């Protein structure tokens, strides 16, 4: 969501005759868009703000703005701590940023806007003014805030209560992005499964069907889903919507029903497993990923063992694992029985090591298969060596419909590709976090039909 908001801010600033620069040392305006979901994210943000004091001394006319969740939570305290900051704008103030910037430019006084409203700016998508997008895939926020109040999470306090954008404006934004060259859309929400419920709009699967009908968009993804609202209708969407990717991110957070209850997740381990089983029975080879928190207050060794056994039972394609960290405002900060940092780190390493073996096994099973890949651009290796690497040795990167990263070279049957192309790649290597292979065929239009191309 911060990436999406940053894109919106960039487009607003281009409309105000700003242009992006390669280094903050060259800038007249620096915006630090922050996250506070974990302690480390906040620490990185405030550390960077501290380093900007020297830049402000070199360039007194420099304007420094802080947005996002840290800004929403800490407000004017940020200016007290960091006098070099001129603007603090909260999560509901992104659309108001041009006015805030203009006020600071005119009177030179710092300004804070952390006002939260129960109204969402339906038209708040990035305005592209007919510009071509450099990205193959783009984010679109479809809703804001959360009503679930998990005990470890600050989102309801810094993003507000759940509210959905009107589907007409979402589809309009999808059409704009398709016209700008985007091939893949990622729909964003703290809990997309409850989209539209409060305002009596369409359901999330119905919204997916609308986006599926937009010409030019070839793939649809979404994050994130809450298991308690995971419906049979959404499962069927993976069967009926040809552009919906065969990948589902379903955060579990813990494999222990006791810890899930303490987290206020509103489902049990068994209920979660029942939904996963129905999804796999209906959709087949869908890839699954999840989020897991280790070291939640009161998590015993037995609770952690249940999380490990859940990994073994589900066999996720990938996971995002985190150590629990106290967050201001979240109820769990007051919980007793905190786990030591040393033990949390040990559990996290054990979790990630175990998942690494599962991911490697699943990816190695794909060696020899031909998969359809949406080309994103040159791989990091080729980008770093672009002046010395031979064209035939150049490596490209993209993703399958199951969200697996594929790094590939070209073959005599496929001598050139561009970002946004779909290519068929013979998989030659399977690793913990990626696949490698050779591109053997290219097409410009693709529908999700088991990973193969439709006839042209």
């Amino acid at each position: 969501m911060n990436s999406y908001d940053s894109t919106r801010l960039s487009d607003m600033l281009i409309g105000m005759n700003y242009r992006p620069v390669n280094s903050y040392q060259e800038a007249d305006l620096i915006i630090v868009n922050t996250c506070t979901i974990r302690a480390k994210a906040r620490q990185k943000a405030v550390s960077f703000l501290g380093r900007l004091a020297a830049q402000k001394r070199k360039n007194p006319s420099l304007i420094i703005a802080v947005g996002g969740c840290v800004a929403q939570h800490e407000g004017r305290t940020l200016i007290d701590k960091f006098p070099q900051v001129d603007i603090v704008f909260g999560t509901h103030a992104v659309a108001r940023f041009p006015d805030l910037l203009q006020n600071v430019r005119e009177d030179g006084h710092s300004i804070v806007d952390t006002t939260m409203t129960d109204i969402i700016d339906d038209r708040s998508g990035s305005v592209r003014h007919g510009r071509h997008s450099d990205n193959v895939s783009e984010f679109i926020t479809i809703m804001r805030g959360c009503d679930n109040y998990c005990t470890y999470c600050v989102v309801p306090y810094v993003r507000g209560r759940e509210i959905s954008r009107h589907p007409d404006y979402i589809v309009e934004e999808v059409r704009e992005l398709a016209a700008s060259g985007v091939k893949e859309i990622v729909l964003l929400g703290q809990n997309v499964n409850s989209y539209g419920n409060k305002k009596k709009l369409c359901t999330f699967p119905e919204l997916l069907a609308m986006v599926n009908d937009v010409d030019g968009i070839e793939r649809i993804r979404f994050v994130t889903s809450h298991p308690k609202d995971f419906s049979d209708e959404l499962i069927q969407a993976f069967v009926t919507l040809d552009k919906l990717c065969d990948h589902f991110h379903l955060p579990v957070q813990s494999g222990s029903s006791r810890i899930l209850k303490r987290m206020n997740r509103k489902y049990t381990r068994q209920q979660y497993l029942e939904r996963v089983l129905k999804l796999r029975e209906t959709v087949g080879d869908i890839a699954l990923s999840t989020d897991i928190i280790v070291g939640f207050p009161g998590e015993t060794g037995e609770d952690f063992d249940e999380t490990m056994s859940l990994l073994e039972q589900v066999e996720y394609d990938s996971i995002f694992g985190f150590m629990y960290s106290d967050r201001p405002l979240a109820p769990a900060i007051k919980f007793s029985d905190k786990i030591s940092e040393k033990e949390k780190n040990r559990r996290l390493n054990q979790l990630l090591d175990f998942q690494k073996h599962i991911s490697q096994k699943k990816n190695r099973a794909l060696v020899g298969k031909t998969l359809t890949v949406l080309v994103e651009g040159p791989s990091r290796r080729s980008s770093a060596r672009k002046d010395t690497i031979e064209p035939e040795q150049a490596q490209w990167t993209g993703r399958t419909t199951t969200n697996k990263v594929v790094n590939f070279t070209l073959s005599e049957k496929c001598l050139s590709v561009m970002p946004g192309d779909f290519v068929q790649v013979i998989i030659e290597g399977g690793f913990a976090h990626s696949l490698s292979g050779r591109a053997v065929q290219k097409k410009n239009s693709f529908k999700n039909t088991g990973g193969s191309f439709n006839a042209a």
Side-chain angles (χ1 to χ4, degrees), residues 38 109 119 134 237 379 431:
R38 290 184 298 280
H109 298 301
I119 299 173
D134 293 329
S379 70
F431 314 100

Side-chain angles (χ1 to χ4, degrees), residues 1 4-13 16 31 33 67-68 72 87-103 113-115 117 119-127 144 159 165:
M1 284 193 170
Y4 175 80
D5 286 345
S6 294
T7 298
R8 290 174 56 200
L9 289 163
S10 178
D11 286 336
M12 292 175 193
L13 290 166
M16 298 173 69
I31 304 174
N33 198 5
Q72 183 65 49
I87 303 171
V88 175
F89 64 105
T91 55
H92 291 204
V94 173
R96 301 191 291 270
F97 183 76
D99 292 334
L100 301 175
L101 176 59
Q102 190 62 31
N103 288 340
D113 183 352
T114 55
T115 302
T117 71
I119 299 173
I120 193 168
D121 182 2
D122 281 325
R123 299 177 182 269
S124 63
S126 54
V127 181
R144 183 185 68 199
R159 289 274 180 180
R165 290 177 65 194

